[in-house]
């Protein structure tokens, strides 16, 4: 299955209508096809996975995003946005007569 994923990654990188590829993986099996897609085909590639299951080459690649950290960041941004919306609604709501 790993070979098929690597082949699809290169195939998608060759498509003119695809701007970036996100791969959910943790092992280093795809690092060569990822580097090829980036360096030879100028494709933007991001790897998402769980940091505690990811191999060192992926962690050190500069392309790796930890899923748990991304979820935590999104939750914080969502909470901040909700606070901003509430503050805006309170500021703009008409005062009682």
């Amino acid at each position: 299955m790993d070979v098929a994923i690597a082949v699809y990654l290169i195939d998608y990188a060759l498509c003119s209508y695809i701007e970036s590829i996100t791969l959910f993986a943790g092992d280093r099996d795809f690092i060569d096809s990822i580097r090829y897609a980036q360096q030879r085909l100028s494709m933007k590639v991001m790897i998402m996975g769980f940091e505690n299951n990811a191999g060192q080459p992926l962690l050190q690649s500069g392309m790796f995003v930890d899923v748990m950290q991304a979820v935590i960041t999104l939750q914080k941004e969502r909470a901040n946005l909700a606070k901003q919306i509430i503050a805006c609604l309170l500021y703009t709501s008409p005062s009682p007569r």
Side-chain angles (χ1 to χ4, degrees):
M1 188 61 159
D2 287 352
V3 172
I5 294 170
V7 170
Y8 282 125
L9 190 141
I10 298 300
D11 191 42
Y12 291 140
L14 289 167
C15 293
S16 60
Y17 55 88
I18 294 179
E19 295 179 10
S20 65
I21 297 172
T22 302
L23 179 67
F24 289 84
D27 57 8
R28 60 166 280 119
D29 293 346
F30 307 109
I31 198 76
D32 291 330
S33 55
I34 291 167
R35 286 191 177 136
Y36 183 85
Q38 286 181 315
Q39 295 169 0
R40 303 296 287 292
L41 303 174
S42 301
M43 178 59 64
K44 298 176 198 168
V45 180
M46 178 174 56
I47 308 160
M48 294 192 78
F50 295 96
E51 186 174 354
N52 58 343
N53 291 335
Q56 284 301 313
L58 292 182
L59 293 173
Q60 296 169 350
S61 68
M63 301 173 278
F64 188 82
V65 175
D66 180 38
V67 171
M68 292 306 295
Q69 190 59 45
V71 168
I72 291 167
T73 300
L74 288 173
Q75 287 175 336
K76 288 178 183 177
E77 289 176 3
R78 184 175 154 204
N80 288 336
L81 181 60
K83 288 176 188 175
Q84 291 174 3
I85 291 170
I86 291 168
C88 184
L89 290 173
L90 291 174
Y91 179 75
T92 59
S93 59
S95 59
R97 294 181 185 209

